[in-house]
């Protein structure tokens, strides 16, 4: 794996795994629990990371390119969901979902967990940096990364 396809392959692997690590870090270390649309953004990254990982074990360069391209499309779909979510957070348009919360337990403990669980709203950004929310950063990084991966594959002369 040399040249531009090697770069694309590594980016298709590192970008979704890094963004997922950041999402889980912000959740479990930073206490920023995900709303429903935050979860929607994670699913394509799982798919992209799995496809890019699988591509490491594929010897045929044509199939490897196809897997990396599919991973890039997964990354792009997460970015586009992030863009939609950021628009909901900035009140540019209305979201498609209800708010979510985290609950656990059973019986009385479940009821207590439900009553004490924080309500996670999709239309409110719990954290921003330079006025950009986590969903906005996912849009920027994922969309830009997916375009870079696809351009790198397209410009590569050899499979």
């Amino acid at each position: 794996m040399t040249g531009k396809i090697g770069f694309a392959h590594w980016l298709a692997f590192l970008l979704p795994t890094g963004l997922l690590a950041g999402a889980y870090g912000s959740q479990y270390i930073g206490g920023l629990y995900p709303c429903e649309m935050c979860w929607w953004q994670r699913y394509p990254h799982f798919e992209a990371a799995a496809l890019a990982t699988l591509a490491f074990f594929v010897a045929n360069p044509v199939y490897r390119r196809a897997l990396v391209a599919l991973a890039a499309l997964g990354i792009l779909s997460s970015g586009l969901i992030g863009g939609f979510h950021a628009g909901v957070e900035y009140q540019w348009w209305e979201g498609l979902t209800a708010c979510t919360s985290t609950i656990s337990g059973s019986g009385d403990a479940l009821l207590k967990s439900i009553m004490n669980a924080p309500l996670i709203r999709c239309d409110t950004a719990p954290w921003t940096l330079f006025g950009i929310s986590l969903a906005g950063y996912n849009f920027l990084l994922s969309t830009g990364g997916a375009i870079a991966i696809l351009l790198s594959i397209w410009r590569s002369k050899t499979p």
Side-chain angles (χ1 to χ4, degrees):
M1 238 182 334
T2 59
K4 291 179 178 148
I5 190 64
F7 165 78
H9 189 175
W10 278 106
L11 186 58
F13 174 74
L14 293 173
L15 184 62
T17 55
L19 289 173
L20 284 169
Y24 280 103
S26 68
Q27 178 179 345
Y28 290 109
I29 297 169
L32 298 174
Y33 293 102
C35 70
E36 189 173 352
M37 283 197 279
C38 293
W39 279 107
W40 293 353
Q41 294 169 72
R42 292 182 188 188
Y43 299 137
H45 282 310
F46 286 124
E47 173 256 340
L51 288 169
T53 300
L54 180 62
F56 282 114
F57 300 101
V58 173
N60 185 318
V62 174
Y63 294 145
R64 186 172 50 238
R65 280 172 72 124
L67 287 170
V68 171
L70 287 172
L73 293 176
I75 294 166
L76 179 63
S77 66
S78 177
L80 295 176
I81 295 167
F84 178 77
H85 186 190
V88 171
E89 291 174 335
Y90 299 135
Q91 311 298 314
W92 294 342
W93 46 74
E94 191 172 318
L96 304 173
T97 178
C99 298
T100 62
S101 185
T102 56
I103 57 171
S104 62
S106 62
D108 288 338
L110 178 61
L111 181 59
K112 185 176 180 180
S113 178
I114 291 170
M115 298 307 290
N116 294 326
L119 185 62
I120 311 302
R121 297 182 54 93
C122 294
D123 62 352
T124 303
W127 180 91
T128 62
L129 179 63
F130 308 118
I132 303 172
S133 68
L134 289 172
Y137 279 110
N138 182 46
F139 168 73
L140 295 171
L141 294 170
S142 295
T143 305
I147 291 169
I149 293 164
L150 292 170
L151 284 175
S152 181
I153 292 170
W154 182 60
R155 289 182 179 165
S156 177
K157 298 294 181 200
T158 61

